[in-house]
Amino acid sequence: MSREVIIGVDLGASKILSGIGTSDGQILQKTKQLTPHGNASSVIDLIADNILEWIKIAEAQHDSVKGIAVAVPGPVTYPGAVIEDSPNLGWQRVEFKEELSRRLGRPVVVDKDTNLAALGEYHFGQDRKYTHLLYLTVSTGVGGGIIINDRLYHGWRGGGGEFGHMVIDASGAECSCGRRGCLEAVASGTAVTKQIEALIKAGRGQNITACGCGSAVGAPELGKAARKGDPEALKLIKELGQNLGIGIANLVHLFNPQIVVIGGGVMIGLGDLLLEPIKEYVGEKAFPLHRRDLIIETTTLGNDIGLYGCIAAIAHGYKEICDLGDV
Ligand SMILES: [Zn+2]
């Protein structure tokens, strides 16, 4: 029986996840490959080849391709999907959507990875629809996506949702953006690694390093040590949770969402160890109006959330779910 399928690609700084799925949110097949260190053009070539391969697979199974969507690291303009000065990819002003659709000879939807993740969460992560949903990713960096009134909010030029660069401690750690105390600088995978390094330098954190296999120690080792009851690891996670709580309380006051969903490798890896201090902080510090019935939870879509977002964007009509008209 022939089906309609959707092709999704999640371009990350270190890997490219791509796959094929159906409108009801099932991923049928997926594959992961390393992002080549090359110029933008060679990476776009690779993604185009990848998509053409998925089209062949679909055709061999007599499926028709309903659409193609690609999630890319930000900042990305909207609606043109030009990748502007991406710190993760090291690209500047790459007309990604135009370049890719020209290579494929067909239209593609391209949006910021965290925006599409928010859409994925909105459509497939929850049992019911929450009209006001915020998505926050805590991985190497911190980013976000905003659903307001059932629409994906991009801001004027596409720059909305840069939650990671909200300053929460003006005298805090230096951020990659040049400022101090951004949420990303104090509560991300990169921040965790730096905090553990500082601990080790001070002659502490032995139980955390003992959980590592070599020199690189980060959030996974922190989680292992904390689960064994190591007080230093538990303290670091609590501080991480509090910092995320400060950021989320700010967001909750700005957007008054029904639900905040948190994803990303650090969040998924630490799970309830990290979720509890976040909920505790927001539960205590947010205004009663804002915290009443507020749901804060970890995504159930795991690391495939970007792919789910691509599927959601095509399945539910990208134009209709965005804040602007034609794209
Ligand atoms: Zn910053």
Side-chain angles (χ1 to χ4, degrees):
M1 197 180 69
S2 102
R3 296 167 297 191
E4 261 194 337
V5 293
I6 294 162
I7 296 169
V9 181
D10 186 1
L11 167 64
S14 58
K15 55 190 180 299
I16 300 170
L17 179 67
S18 69
I20 197 160
T22 52
S23 291
D24 59 354
Q26 281 186 59
I27 295 174
L28 302 172
Q29 269 178 276
K30 62 179 176 177
T31 177
K32 204 177 348 183
Q33 61 193 121
L34 292 176
T35 308
H37 293 291
N39 55 22
S41 189
S42 63
V43 176
I44 298 171
D45 282 342
L46 181 79
I47 290 173
D49 288 346
N50 199 318
I51 290 170
L52 292 171
E53 202 54 44
W54 284 117
I55 292 174
K56 263 194 220 160
I57 290 171
E59 283 171 352
Q61 293 168 349
H62 307 289
D63 294 333
S64 61
V65 176
K66 186 179 168 76
I68 300 158
V70 184
V72 298
V76 187
T77 67
Y78 176 84
V82 177
I83 299 180
E84 291 224 6
D85 197 18
S86 163
N88 293 344
L89 294 169
W91 297 357
Q92 287 189 328
R93 281 210 65 77
V94 173
E95 297 191 343
F96 189 92
K97 184 164 85 164
E98 199 178 305
E99 288 285 322
L100 182 61
S101 55
R102 191 170 53 75
R103 281 168 175 74
L104 295 170
R106 56 193 294 169
V108 283
V109 164
V110 176
D111 205 333
K112 185 164 74 172
D113 45 14
T114 47
N115 283 347
L116 288 172
L119 266 190
E121 191 60 49
Y122 170 79
H123 283 292
F124 301 128
Q126 306 295 324
D127 296 338
R128 52 161 285 204
K129 285 275 178 296
Y130 292 99
T131 55
H132 295 71
L133 176 149
L134 296 182
Y135 174 73
L136 183 81
T137 182
V138 186
S139 78
T140 313
V142 172
I146 304 162
I147 305 277
I148 299 176
N149 262 343
D150 299 302
R151 313 277 271 190
L152 181 61
Y153 180 78
H154 286 88
W156 181 36
R157 285 192 163 138
E162 291 290 344
F163 298 162
H165 299 282
M166 163 174 49
V167 173
I168 62 162
D169 177 3
S171 56
E174 201 173 315
C175 185
S176 59
C177 74
R179 295 192 298 166
R180 283 193 169 276
C182 291
L183 188 57
E184 179 168 301
V186 296
S188 63
T190 314
V192 166
T193 301
K194 282 185 184 164
Q195 286 156 5
I196 297 171
E197 280 168 4
L199 210 58
I200 294 165
K201 227 176 170 182
R204 289 150 52 207
Q206 283 83 1
N207 290 329
I208 304 172
T209 47
C211 292
C213 51
S215 56
V217 180
E221 291 73 26
L222 184 64
K224 274 187 210 163
R227 286 192 181 92
K228 287 182 183 165
D230 176 55
E232 285 178 326
L234 288 165
K235 186 166 173 272
L236 267 190
I237 294 176
K238 188 157 191 217
E239 284 166 8
L240 183 64
Q242 277 178 350
N243 283 330
L244 286 166
I246 293 171
I248 290 170
N250 290 343
L251 294 170
V252 162
H253 288 149
L254 283 172
F255 295 101
N256 189 200
Q258 289 166 289
I259 181 167
V260 179
V261 186
I262 315 170
V266 174
M267 186 67 217
I268 293 167
L270 296 177
D272 286 346
L273 279 174
L274 182 56
L275 188 65
E276 286 314 314
I278 293 173
K279 285 167 88 163
E280 199 179 299
Y281 184 91
V282 179
E284 279 174 16
K285 307 288 183 188
F287 289 163
L289 170 71
H290 299 72
R291 67 175 188 241
R292 195 185 305 144
D293 304 324
L294 173 70
I295 302 164
I296 303 177
E297 62 177 38
T298 310
T299 182
T300 55
L301 300 178
N303 294 318
D304 291 340
I305 191 165
L307 273 192
Y308 282 104
C310 291
I311 293 171
I314 300 296
H316 295 276
Y318 183 66
K319 283 181 194 175
E320 284 73 41
I321 43 189
C322 290
D323 45 308
L324 291 180
D326 274 342
V327 290

